[in-house]
Amino acid sequence: MQQITNQSLLSFMVLNQDQGIAVSNPATGEILGYAPVSPEHDILDGIERASFAQKEWALLPAKTRSGLLQKWYQLLLDNKEDLGRLMTLEQGKPWAEAQGEVLYGASFIEWFAEEAKRTYGETIPAPSSDKRLVTMKQPIGVACAITPWNFPIAMITRKAGPALAAGCSFIVKPSESTPLSAFAVAELAYQAGIPRDVLQVVLGANSRQVGGIFTSHPLIRKLSFTGSTQVGRVLMQQSANDIKRTSMELGGNAPFIVFDDADIDAAVLGAMASKFRNAGQTCVCANRFYVHNKVYDEFVEKFDAAVQQLKVGNGLEEGVNVGPVISESAKQGIQSLIDGAIEQGAKPVTEPKTLDGLFMQPVVLKNVTHDMDIISQEIFGPVAPVIKFDDDQQLIEMANDTIYGLASYFYSQNIHRVWKIAEALEYGMVGINEGMISTEVAPFGGVKQSGIGREGAKQGIDEYMSIKYLCFGGN
Ligand code: SIN
């Protein structure tokens, strides 16, 4: 790992498999290093320490917590290149994109450093003249999180930022595939002055074990999870035993709709941004494209031409836009969705090359119909199935015909249609003439089985606070 200039970012690393888990580079298969694994009693000790430390942390003036978060934010920016490189090495996304994620991740720390000072309560007009009613917001206590491999930094900071700003302590279990970035960003938090007991990164024997501890430990009052709907459902069930607060950012099946009045060139740009970010491995990636009959051929031709320009390869190489997918089983899953669609009648616009290792050639599929399996599954890979439609009502029914409701996108220049479709889509987020919707200032989250709660924005900090109502009598 001599590519990393600031070696303090790697100070957590352990020497071998006996002490930690091996982390490998999905582009080359080489082992990058070993991340520390804690035995169960250490994780339990950490929770006790987090609970103790939280009380002091919450007593700090909000401005002090805000200042520490600002310092962390600055260190993240100062280390953007190294953090980006580390992320590319363990996750695969191209270095420029990884640096973009560092900035995106840091933006949550900056945003919640500011929000820390604005957790206002209210005064409520009382129903009788002898009473005065007031609310205040208080931190929940110890919050924990389980985060995925597709955004090794941003999914942590999007949760840690509001938790720490609110006055909670925070324990995160990152993905076993990408723990190096997680430990590195925590190291910068410690350098900024955030106490080690207030922010902890842990890996255990496996995800199930840590999930079990997080959801059953009485000192943990909140669990925030980003990952699959299947795992989220289990974590919610486990959290129900002692009524823990949960936030769930789960799977998606985003429709990307192009109406006949759309600016087709703009739609192609939006489609590229939305579909191929992180090699198609995001919960908000366009998963299925619906294009009006009248503009179908034009869109498909232009979209495929843009897709053929994508350079697939090791994310550290110049000019690469699409890195490897995360694992062999992910590659097999994506390939079997492509094969299944082709068996059911879909056709690649350009025949994709078969690539070695974990690389996959991006592909646009035409002649796709709404009933194919590839349309109901979350693809999580560089594949774009395109369906024809004729009628707005039929389109809305198809777009909403899913258990998911995270992100959706559409392109139209007709203001009346824009409002109608925006209101009719059963999704937590709608990109209108825009393929990139993620930002720290807007509420990120889904409806239906895509989850509960919102991250980022002014709403994000409320997920880590409780409202206390004070009733002053005898006035
Ligand atoms: C995700 O895929 O879970 C997050 C995507 C984003 O924040 O844009």
Side-chain angles (χ1 to χ4, degrees):
M1 294 264 262
Q2 57 277 47
Q3 299 103 313
I4 307 298
T5 318
N6 178 358
Q7 286 284 314
S8 80
L9 294 178
L10 303 177
S11 55
F12 61 86
M13 294 240 287
V14 294
L15 290 178
N16 55 45
Q17 197 108 35
D18 298 336
Q19 300 163 308
I21 53 166
V23 182
S24 61
N25 181 342
T28 61
E30 75 168 315
I31 290 184
L32 297 165
Y34 298 88
V37 166
S38 306
E40 180 158 342
H41 63 86
D42 275 3
I43 301 177
L44 296 174
D45 264 12
I47 296 172
E48 300 271 346
R49 284 187 278 107
S51 174
F52 190 74
Q54 187 267 326
K55 301 201 172 41
E56 266 183 48
W57 179 249
L59 285 177
L60 291 176
K63 196 173 161 102
T64 307
R65 287 199 302 273
S66 172
L68 292 169
L69 287 169
Q70 284 287 1
K71 282 192 194 145
W72 187 15
Y73 165 67
Q74 194 52 53
L75 287 173
L76 291 168
L77 297 193
D78 296 346
N79 287 276
K80 179 183 80 163
E81 293 191 1
D82 270 347
L83 289 171
R85 202 173 276 118
L86 189 58
M87 193 188 303
T88 299
L89 286 167
E90 68 173 346
Q91 199 273 343
K93 68 178 69 176
W95 188 36
E97 195 177 331
Q99 291 180 73
E101 185 187 330
V102 177
L103 297 182
Y104 178 47
S107 74
F108 291 105
I109 302 302
E110 183 193 35
W111 172 265
F112 286 109
E114 292 156 355
E115 289 300 288
K117 296 179 281 185
R118 299 185 192 116
T119 56
Y120 306 129
E122 290 177 320
T123 54
I124 300 169
S128 63
S129 54
D130 63 333
K131 288 190 175 135
R132 300 289 181 270
L133 315 186
V134 171
T135 65
M136 63 199 284
K137 290 185 183 170
Q138 292 186 309
I140 289 185
V142 184
C144 67
I146 299 178
T147 56
W149 50 263
N150 61 343
F151 288 88
I153 289 183
M155 294 307 101
I156 294 178
T157 54
R158 191 153 84 180
K159 300 174 194 304
L164 299 182
C168 296
S169 51
F170 182 80
I171 307 175
V172 59
K173 186 206 80 67
S175 163
E176 286 73 9
S177 303
T178 57
L180 307 182
S181 302
F183 283 102
V185 293
E187 182 53 38
L188 292 176
Y190 306 142
Q191 290 177 16
I194 294 170
R196 283 179 184 269
D197 289 345
V198 167
L199 173 69
Q200 300 178 29
V201 180
V202 295
L203 288 172
N206 53 54
S207 294
R208 197 181 288 256
Q209 177 227 27
V210 182
I213 296 174
F214 281 178
T215 52
S216 64
H217 200 293
L219 289 176
I220 288 181
R221 294 308 323 145
K222 158 91 192 185
L223 168 69
S224 179
F225 172 67
T226 296
S228 71
T229 295
Q230 205 185 354
V231 173
R233 189 178 291 118
V234 172
L235 291 170
M236 278 183 84
Q237 280 162 354
Q238 290 175 190
S239 301
N241 282 338
D242 58 356
I243 322 291
K244 285 190 206 312
R245 286 261 295 269
T246 57
S247 297
M248 295 281 148
E249 202 266 89
L250 308 175
N253 181 1
F256 187 108
I257 303 156
V258 184
F259 288 98
D260 54 348
D261 56 32
D263 174 338
I264 301 299
D265 293 330
V268 168
L269 284 177
M272 294 300 291
S274 164
K275 177 71 247 186
F276 296 104
R277 179 175 172 223
N278 198 13
Q281 303 171 108
T282 90
C283 305
V284 292
C285 274
N287 201 55
R288 51 200 168 115
F289 293 77
Y290 295 91
V291 181
H292 194 277
N293 202 1
K294 283 192 195 150
V295 291
Y296 186 89
D297 290 343
E298 181 188 354
F299 177 84
V300 166
E301 191 189 315
K302 288 183 169 172
F303 187 27
D304 189 60
V307 170
Q308 298 315 313
Q309 300 302 312
L310 292 171
K311 185 172 169 201
V312 182
N314 185 325
L316 290 179
E317 278 166 26
E318 195 64 31
V320 163
N321 331 87
V322 178
V325 297
I326 193 68
S327 64
E328 189 51 45
S329 66
K331 182 170 176 173
Q332 279 171 17
I334 299 162
Q335 192 57 52
S336 79
L337 283 173
I338 300 174
D339 296 343
I342 292 172
E343 262 166 44
Q344 290 175 293
K347 201 172 161 355
V349 181
T350 301
E351 204 57 52
K353 286 187 230 104
T354 304
L355 303 180
D356 290 339
L358 298 181
F359 297 104
M360 291 193 87
Q361 184 72 39
V363 59
V364 178
L365 297 175
K366 62 181 182 179
N367 296 355
V368 178
T369 52
H370 179 72
D371 53 1
M372 292 182 182
D373 293 341
I374 199 164
I375 295 306
S376 58
Q377 313 280 317
E378 188 173 26
I379 304 171
F380 239 65
V383 186
V386 193
I387 299 170
K388 245 181 221 173
F389 77 91
D390 281 305
D391 162 79
D392 286 16
Q393 190 49 41
Q394 169 215 22
L395 177 269
I396 285 296
E397 280 162 26
M398 290 193 292
N400 288 338
D401 179 24
T402 169
I403 58 165
Y404 298 109
L406 191 59
S408 55
Y409 308 86
F410 69 91
Y411 278 69
S412 166
Q413 311 246 54
N414 174 338
I415 187 72
H416 304 292
R417 178 180 261 158
V418 162
W419 274 106
K420 210 169 130 225
I421 301 297
E423 285 173 2
L425 286 170
E426 295 168 357
Y427 289 84
M429 298 175 283
V430 186
I432 302 162
N433 297 321
E434 179 56 61
M436 273 293 295
I437 54 176
S438 303
T439 160
E440 79 281 12
V441 305
F444 189 104
V447 297
K448 294 159 79 177
Q449 294 189 34
S450 285
I452 50 170
R454 290 294 178 267
E455 295 193 306
K458 67 174 183 175
Q459 290 85 358
I461 198 162
D462 288 336
E463 303 278 334
Y464 296 88
M465 305 201 87
S466 313
I467 295 175
K468 185 179 275 179
Y469 152 51
L470 309 180
C471 177
F472 294 82
N475 289 293

